[in-house]
Amino acid sequence: MTRIAANFAAEFSAALTSADAPTNVAEDNVKESLTHFRQALNSVSNQSDQQNQRSKLPSDAANWLRDALSRLSGEETFSNAVVAAAEAENWYQIYNNDTVPHSKESNPMEDLAPGMFAARLIGPNRGLVQSNELLAGLFLLRPGLHYPLHQHKATEIYFSVSGTAYIQHGIDGETKLLSPGQVSLTPSNRLHALTMGDQPVLLLWTWLGEFGGRNWWWHRQKDGSWRRDAWERSEDASWIKTASEPIPQAEITALQSNDKPL
């Protein structure tokens, strides 16, 4: 039996030990959160791979991946674990890019979806190692892609291994650079957005907390007001919009106040 996911988890955990977190503020208490993530990763670092299902990337994305892997740096054992995870062919397109049948409403994921792919190494249902407590794997994004403001219940970590990503926390938060070897923590339900630089971006990602439920996407309207749309996975794994609502100005004002630097 292979141990691709276990080696990935062990190297990911070790990399988080001293990683700088330039996108976070002191109040986020990144060090404590990383301890919880490292414990979760270490809990699966002795397991063998069990799932045999494989799924390859389309040609464009495969080229992005080769480019990203060619620029890996750091310890050899870490790079080898990332390459093995990437070559395990457990990739999938995160969002569907089709519109709802018989609907005149456009799907905001239509342009975004073809530029985002994930390889889940650990997690429920899909992954080399099954876990109901932890999601972890690789996240591949095309050059120049913008992943707009959204929020979810799970607490999330991005650890950059190739390319440059710019991460915004909060509705009017400052956009900050995340470079290879650095980590970004997104607490539960925090608004965040990502914009890629001029090279493909490869991130290690992991989630703790509630995995399912609604992902809320926020959109500023032409009149300056805001709306949010809730998207959820259906039984066939496609994404459907299940709610849409205006956001009260009082909520916007409170968020903008929290975004101001101390």
Side-chain angles (χ1 to χ4, degrees):
M1 296 287 287
T2 60
R3 292 169 54 85
I4 295 173
N7 292 337
F8 173 85
E11 292 297 328
F12 193 175
S13 174
L16 295 177
T17 304
S18 57
D20 183 30
T23 72
N24 289 94
V25 296
E27 288 73 19
D28 287 340
N29 199 355
V30 174
K31 184 176 181 180
E32 180 178 340
S33 293
L34 292 186
T35 297
H36 296 315
F37 276 96
R38 292 190 67 236
Q39 290 171 343
L41 288 165
N42 290 337
S43 71
V44 299
S45 61
N46 62 350
Q47 297 188 34
S48 297
D49 302 327
Q50 297 180 2
Q51 191 200 72
N52 294 318
Q53 181 179 353
R54 297 292 185 263
S55 178
K56 293 185 177 181
L57 287 166
S59 58
D60 285 349
N63 289 334
W64 305 334
L65 180 60
R66 280 192 291 271
D67 186 352
L69 292 177
S70 73
R71 291 180 279 106
L72 290 179
S73 60
E75 297 291 334
E76 183 177 4
T77 55
F78 176 82
S79 295
N80 289 344
V82 172
V83 171
E87 294 179 346
E89 297 182 349
N90 204 38
W91 292 95
Y92 61 97
Q93 185 172 291
I94 299 174
Y95 295 118
N96 48 293
N97 59 357
D98 54 336
T99 54
V100 178
H102 311 300
S103 172
K104 296 181 180 180
E105 186 175 7
S106 63
N107 186 336
M109 300 176 184
E110 188 171 1
D111 293 329
L112 181 67
M116 296 173 57
F117 293 86
R120 184 183 295 178
L121 277 294
I122 304 160
N125 303 322
R126 178 192 286 128
L128 300 182
V129 166
Q130 299 295 297
S131 173
N132 292 321
E133 288 74 42
L134 173 71
L135 291 180
L138 301 174
F139 193 18
L140 177 67
L141 305 106
R142 69 165 172 79
L145 180 139
H146 176 65
Y147 190 7
L149 281 172
H150 61 285
Q151 63 186 151
H152 42 67
K153 290 188 177 180
T155 299
E156 177 178 63
I157 278 179
Y158 291 136
F159 182 87
S160 176
V161 296
S162 188
T164 54
Y166 300 85
I167 298 183
Q168 173 189 342
H169 285 182
I171 193 167
D172 283 331
E174 178 186 356
T175 300
K176 297 182 180 180
L177 174 65
L178 184 72
S179 298
Q182 297 178 329
V183 66
S184 179
L185 166 73
T186 303
S188 174
N189 280 319
R190 174 177 290 175
L191 278 173
H192 57 296
L194 292 83
T195 303
M196 308 310 124
D198 58 2
Q199 296 176 326
V201 171
L202 185 63
L203 305 171
L204 310 190
W205 64 272
T206 178
W207 276 17
L208 284 177
E210 184 175 332
F211 302 151
R214 291 174 168 176
N215 283 355
W216 287 95
W217 291 48
W218 289 47
H219 311 278
R220 191 192 294 270
Q221 308 301 296
K222 291 182 179 180
D223 62 2
S225 64
W226 286 82
R227 290 190 68 87
R228 57 189 166 206
D229 300 329
W231 293 82
E232 297 183 70
R233 280 196 183 276
S234 60
E235 290 185 1
D236 65 359
S238 64
W239 289 83
I240 57 173
K241 188 166 73 172
T242 58
S244 181
E245 61 188 26
I247 305 171
Q249 183 56 45
E251 184 174 346
I252 299 297
T253 301
L255 289 171
Q256 290 171 328
S257 177
N258 290 335
D259 286 345
K260 293 179 180 178
L262 299 176

